[in-house]
Amino acid sequence: MKKRLLMVSNRLPVKIAADGTATRTAGGLASALEGAELENEQIWVGWPGGAEEEFDDPEAICKQLNEQNTWPVFLSQAELDGFYEGYANSTLWPILHYMVERAKFSQEWWDSYKAVNQKFADVILSIAQDGDMIWIHDYHLFLLPELLRGTNMNLRVGFFLHTPFCSSEVFRVLPHRAELLRGVLGADIIGFHTSSYLRHFRSTLLRVLGKESEMDSIWYGGREVRLLAAPIGHNHLGFQKCMEREDFGEIVAEHREELNGKRLVLSVERLDYTKGVPQKLTAIHRFLKDNPEWCDEVIFVLISVPSRQGVEEYDQLTEEVQRAVGAINGEFGSVGHSPVQFLHRGFPPADLAALYALSELCLVTPLRDGMNLVAKEFLDCQREEIAGRPGVLILSELAGAAEELSNAIQVNPHNTEEVADAIARALEMPDEERKFRIEAMQRRLRLRHSGPWAQSFVEDLEKVPAREQRVAVFEMVPLAKEIAERWRKGATVGLFLDYDGTLREFVDKPEDAIPDSELPPLLKSLGDTERLNVGIVSGRPPSFLEKHLGGLGLTLVGEHGYRWLNEGKGEWELFNPHVDTEWREQIREHLEQAALLTPGTHVEEKQSAVVWHYRKAEPEFGLWRARGLLDELTSMAANLPVTVHHGKKIVEVSSLQVSKGAAVDHLMKYWHTDVAFAAGDDQTDETMFSLVPDGADFYTVKVGAGTTRAKYRTDTSGVRVFLESLQHELSL
Ligand code: GDG
């Protein structure tokens, strides 16, 4: 059976009549799904509009909606003020659109945002069933994916952001940026309109959370989160239906008559400050001033759907636009003709289609826009037989749509002169060029309309492996049971555990990475078990290991397998007393030089290795320098008995005669091990994973992302789950 699909957006596609009757409407997302030809049962979850207090009988509305597979999340007036008007629209919206100076911050709004996200989670979890797919939409619900992860249910969670994702430099302005990122990383798939937004998101993860990612995925919390750039399409089928209506010809004729033979330049947008309407009017003013011969020929129609009326900032914007329109008409109008018509209301879809079809030019000039569907709708509705000639799109390069619609005339909406010139150029553009430009774009957007967009997102979500397969942590329990079973039957067991990034999460300062209070007793209890030997195999120096993990009955291996402390004997010994370290001086000097040139980096000297640390450097600069160093060191090391490796935020040059693998090989034999288990997170641990022990079974576990020779993969919490389960099993 097909999995159920729960669509979750702040606003439900419903209308509630004055008498409380609730009806489903085909909003943007709902119609996208209609075109997606999905067989999945669909359920909607979201806010039905209005404040909860306004409804006489919310329960009755809820019941009615439930019958239509719709689950309302009612919001009180206080929640609408704090969550919706406050945090979502006055903090996140301006930040995501790069309008930092408009953003307002309030702890109360943030608290309300958290509470409403939890409210959404509660409603979803009250109806969710094992195997459901949950598709969450937009910036109102950044925290929801993580909140859904708390359950044991096997849910597949997708998140799509409809706004831009701004640069990390802007996003980090948000006081709660880390919580927002962690929230959204609870999803299995995170989608953006463009590859630029995806790039910004990845660099924000790196700079705010210190998390590295691949172009299409990130390893987080023991799971792989897929990242994708999937530009939304417009509702092609909806517009096609309008244009096939019997009365469509009449609608077109009516509007044609209104135009009175003038050439139509159309704009359609919600009246929002991101849409750049005042800037557009300044450019129109400039165009009319520079090209007086056009004043009586063209008519600029601005359809501005009212948005967030009653909010001061938006009311001011409306007044500003009305004043500018009045000023232009006063200056350039004539008896019987006003060059700019400002229509501050919504139009039925068929009228919109007719106006798109009749336009010679569409002026889409937002200051920032996630995608902008108007640009695509205009191109799709264009018919030469209606307008008489192919139309031209002028498109802001700061709209997401610009990445796809490269045949539009692209402009910087802040550059008045450029926009004014583009209007003149478009009006004068020969038909042949117009045709070439529009046809190329039409082909693409009619194929990639909202239906296929939704369909492919849902297909991706369907492919997310079931939880038990994807959460490697869950594999750790059966593994512990298997090893315990062997132990019970008399096998001698050896555990080889790396420390940083394996037993302990990475932290900014290595000296802060001390064991949490639960780890030492857990290791001690394992170390005290007969026929079970525990080795901590780390790159750390003896002093650190002894200070934090000494006295627990463990075998400590320091400096990547150079020395070891057999607690029984009480003294650190060398695995190989004849290691050649004459090369150190030359390498150290080279690395010291790199440290001088790269702020936030330093050199650490060990007995058998020299290490350059760049954990505190600017992440991208540090990485770039590390790659350069690797090249240099590899050629320097060609004739030296060393190996160069790029680890987590380090470049390390170490003696060829020393490795974790060699140390583990030694200890396995020393302990007469029958069953061995090794876990580690970086390149040096791979020398353990590639061992093929003689006569012992070997379980190898890679912690985190990256290519590996290990058989299993998990994260630090998975390692802990393994150790706890093993301890539990052994004590039975
Ligand atoms: C957000 C992102 C992203 C407008 N006037 C009328 C009317 N509309 C319809 C248009 C279009 C829609 O409204 C506006 O969509 P946009 O994409 O332009 O912008 P936002 O509302 O800001 O949407 C945006 C979008 O989400 C999708 O991901 O593209 O970047 O900000 O469909 O046709 N429809 C009717 N009458 C009108 O007068 N019927």
Side-chain angles (χ1 to χ4, degrees):
M1 215 184 59
K2 280 278 191 189
K3 298 178 188 89
R4 297 198 312 176
L5 173 65
L6 274 69
M7 287 288 273
V8 186
S9 60
N10 173 56
R11 192 79 161 87
L12 277 178
V14 289
K15 260 207 178 98
I16 314 251
D19 65 357
T21 332
T23 38
R24 282 275 303 272
T25 59
L29 284 174
S31 42
L33 284 187
E34 270 169 20
E37 295 173 10
L38 299 170
E39 284 166 24
N40 314 66
E41 180 187 348
Q42 291 159 28
I43 294 173
W44 282 81
V45 180
W47 169 52
E52 191 171 11
E53 300 89 316
E54 286 166 15
F55 300 118
D56 291 337
D57 194 352
E59 258 176 51
I61 295 174
C62 187
K63 222 166 134 204
Q64 265 191 55
L65 284 172
N66 290 170
E67 281 159 17
Q68 304 166 47
N69 263 358
T70 303
W71 295 78
V73 180
F74 289 105
L75 300 179
S76 68
Q77 190 54 54
E79 285 167 336
L80 290 177
D81 292 344
F83 154 76
Y84 183 62
E85 290 299 347
Y87 199 76
N89 286 337
S90 304
T91 307
L92 287 175
W93 177 264
I95 290 284
L96 291 165
H97 288 87
Y98 289 81
M99 304 201 172
V100 183
E101 69 293 344
R102 285 186 186 267
K104 299 186 192 99
F105 304 95
S106 141
Q107 182 61 35
E108 262 173 57
W109 291 354
W110 168 247
D111 292 339
S112 176
Y113 184 81
K114 282 195 292 187
V116 171
N117 271 256
Q118 185 62 57
K119 214 170 179 179
F120 269 78
D122 294 343
V123 171
I124 293 168
L125 292 176
S126 74
I127 53 172
Q129 296 170 4
D130 219 43
D132 280 353
M133 295 184 291
I134 306 194
W135 187 1
I136 301 166
H137 293 267
D138 234 357
Y139 61 100
H140 310 87
L141 300 171
F142 271 133
L143 304 179
L144 185 53
E146 193 189 21
L147 294 173
L148 295 179
R149 205 144 277 291
T151 159
N152 273 334
M153 247 183 286
N154 184 18
L155 303 176
R156 292 160 170 86
V157 180
F159 180 92
F160 191 87
L161 183 68
H162 289 263
T163 64
F165 195 94
C166 56
S167 140
S168 63
E169 292 298 334
V170 175
F171 196 83
R172 72 185 323 158
V173 169
L174 288 164
H176 302 284
R177 68 260 169 120
E179 284 100 317
L180 292 164
L181 294 173
R182 283 193 209 106
V184 75
L185 282 172
D188 298 302
I189 303 181
I190 305 175
F192 302 89
H193 285 308
T194 72
S195 54
S196 304
Y197 305 159
L198 174 53
R199 182 163 45 82
H200 293 316
F201 180 68
R202 290 183 55 219
S203 89
T204 307
L205 292 179
L206 182 63
R207 290 181 167 79
V208 175
L209 296 184
K211 291 275 172 204
E212 283 176 17
S213 57
E214 303 293 324
M215 200 47 201
D216 60 352
S217 66
I218 173 171
W219 187 262
Y220 182 80
R223 306 168 295 120
E224 189 182 37
V225 180
R226 273 199 63 201
L227 306 174
L228 48 98
I232 194 172
H234 68 298
N235 181 10
H236 165 66
L237 300 180
F239 278 97
Q240 208 177 20
K241 234 188 250 165
C242 285
M243 297 182 86
E244 281 165 2
R245 269 169 51 166
E246 264 179 28
D247 59 348
F248 187 67
E250 284 160 42
I251 299 173
V252 170
E254 267 170 42
H255 288 298
R256 196 195 302 280
E257 207 176 304
E258 284 165 356
L259 292 173
N260 206 8
K262 311 277 187 225
R263 295 162 75 167
L264 172 59
V265 181
L266 184 67
S267 288
V268 179
E269 55 246 319
R270 271 186 313 108
L271 196 49
D272 187 281
Y273 50 80
T274 60
K275 303 288 181 183
V277 182
Q279 291 77 357
K280 174 157 39 196
L281 286 164
T282 310
I284 292 174
H285 178 270
R286 177 67 183 258
F287 162 76
L288 292 171
K289 199 163 180 171
D290 290 352
N291 303 278
E293 70 281 10
W294 283 109
C295 285
D296 280 335
E297 294 285 314
V298 288
I299 179 161
F300 290 88
V301 171
L302 270 63
I303 296 182
S304 279
V305 190
S307 181
R308 303 176 60 204
Q309 284 168 307
V311 175
E312 199 187 337
E313 213 171 3
Y314 283 75
D315 291 347
Q316 275 171 7
L317 177 64
T318 311
E319 276 172 34
E320 185 185 350
V321 167
Q322 279 164 341
R323 258 200 315 275
V325 170
I328 296 177
N329 286 336
E331 193 174 339
F332 300 104
S334 54
V335 177
H337 177 57
S338 300
V340 182
Q341 299 258 336
F342 174 61
L343 307 175
H344 195 208
R345 59 176 193 273
F347 279 77
D351 289 76
L352 201 59
L355 287 166
Y356 282 143
L358 281 165
S359 308
E360 185 163 335
L361 229 90
C362 190
L363 209 46
V364 179
T365 54
L367 305 180
R368 284 284 166 185
D369 217 335
M371 171 53 62
N372 194 290
L373 293 175
V374 168
K376 296 186 172 184
E377 292 164 4
F378 160 75
L379 292 170
D380 191 14
C381 293
Q382 277 280 301
R383 300 283 184 281
E384 227 180 297
E385 64 276 15
I386 296 180
R389 54 194 303 210
V392 183
L393 172 65
I394 296 180
L395 178 61
S396 162
E397 63 190 40
L398 301 176
E403 221 171 77
E404 276 176 281
L405 303 178
S406 51
N407 280 335
I409 300 186
Q410 297 205 358
V411 292
N412 175 343
H414 297 277
N415 187 338
T416 304
E417 199 167 287
E418 190 186 10
V419 180
D421 289 351
I423 300 172
R425 184 179 153 209
L427 287 168
E428 280 154 19
M429 188 181 281
D431 282 11
E432 206 177 317
E433 185 181 347
R434 291 176 174 220
K435 199 173 158 73
F436 166 77
R437 284 172 178 263
I438 200 167
E439 281 180 353
M441 294 189 284
Q442 275 173 338
R443 262 195 305 278
R444 184 190 157 81
L445 59 88
R446 285 179 185 153
L447 284 175
R448 296 296 304 170
H449 60 83
S450 58
W453 169 79
Q455 194 161 339
S456 79
F457 195 94
V458 174
E459 277 164 13
D460 283 344
L461 209 46
E462 260 170 344
K463 280 187 225 139
V464 170
R467 183 172 179 148
E468 57 275 14
Q469 290 161 20
R470 90 189 106 118
V471 184
V473 170
F474 280 66
E475 288 184 347
M476 294 293 107
V477 178
L479 202 59
K481 284 191 173 157
E482 204 173 309
I483 294 175
E485 188 53 32
R486 295 287 306 277
W487 177 84
R488 258 182 240 118
K489 288 185 176 153
T492 298
V493 175
L495 304 183
F496 301 97
L497 308 168
D498 166 49
Y499 179 71
D500 292 279
T502 299
L503 289 177
R504 178 71 171 83
E505 276 279 7
F506 263 92
V507 292
D508 271 349
K509 292 189 199 150
E511 58 273 24
D512 289 347
I514 57 171
D516 58 81
S517 60
E518 285 156 20
L519 184 63
L522 175 61
L523 292 173
K524 180 165 181 1
S525 139
L526 289 165
D528 287 347
T529 311
E530 58 165 333
R531 280 184 291 107
L532 186 113
N533 300 294
V534 183
I536 306 296
V537 189
S538 165
R540 295 271 188 169
S543 53
F544 179 92
L545 294 175
E546 233 176 329
K547 181 168 173 201
H548 297 292
L549 296 163
L552 302 174
L554 312 173
T555 293
L556 304 177
V557 179
E559 297 181 32
H560 294 130
Y562 183 56
R563 301 161 189 274
W564 65 298
L565 176 69
N566 184 345
E567 291 233 307
K569 287 193 187 166
E571 259 172 49
W572 285 86
E573 295 171 39
L574 298 185
F575 278 103
N576 177 354
H578 310 295
V579 175
D580 167 10
T581 53
E582 272 178 25
W583 49 269
R584 274 203 343 210
E585 193 52 26
Q586 182 190 354
I587 299 287
R588 189 180 53 77
E589 272 175 23
H590 195 80
L591 293 182
E592 293 283 7
Q593 195 58 28
L596 273 179
L597 295 173
T598 322
T601 68
H602 71 277
V603 177
E604 182 193 4
E605 206 164 348
K606 298 179 181 173
Q607 288 294 330
S608 66
V610 191
V611 192
W612 179 74
H613 292 262
Y614 65 99
R615 198 185 296 252
K616 290 184 213 152
E618 197 288 322
E620 271 166 327
F621 186 57
L623 186 62
W624 175 76
R625 183 72 88 191
R627 291 200 174 123
L629 262 182
L630 274 177
D631 281 349
E632 292 158 18
L633 291 168
T634 309
S635 58
M636 273 175 82
N639 296 318
L640 300 175
V642 296
T643 161
V644 183
H645 104 268
H646 189 184
K648 291 223 172 111
K649 308 278 184 191
I650 57 155
V651 172
E652 174 156 358
V653 182
S654 53
S655 166
L656 257 182
Q657 294 152 297
V658 173
S659 76
K660 286 188 176 185
V664 168
D665 192 35
H666 180 100
L667 288 176
M668 271 200 220
K669 288 176 188 141
Y670 181 77
W671 289 333
H672 304 291
T673 308
D674 301 309
V675 178
F677 169 97
D681 69 310
D682 79 11
Q683 209 50 41
T684 60
D685 300 308
E686 294 295 320
T687 58
M688 303 196 280
F689 301 153
S690 44
L691 287 177
V692 186
D694 224 3
D697 292 330
F698 194 23
Y699 297 87
T700 49
V701 180
K702 164 87 175 174
V703 182
T707 48
T708 182
R709 293 177 172 215
K711 189 166 168 221
Y712 298 88
R713 194 188 290 278
T714 188
D715 66 352
T716 45
S717 61
V719 175
R720 191 61 65 92
V721 166
F722 169 81
L723 296 175
E724 285 167 355
S725 311
L726 187 62
Q727 181 207 28
H728 172 73
E729 289 293 324
L730 298 179
S731 63
L732 289 179

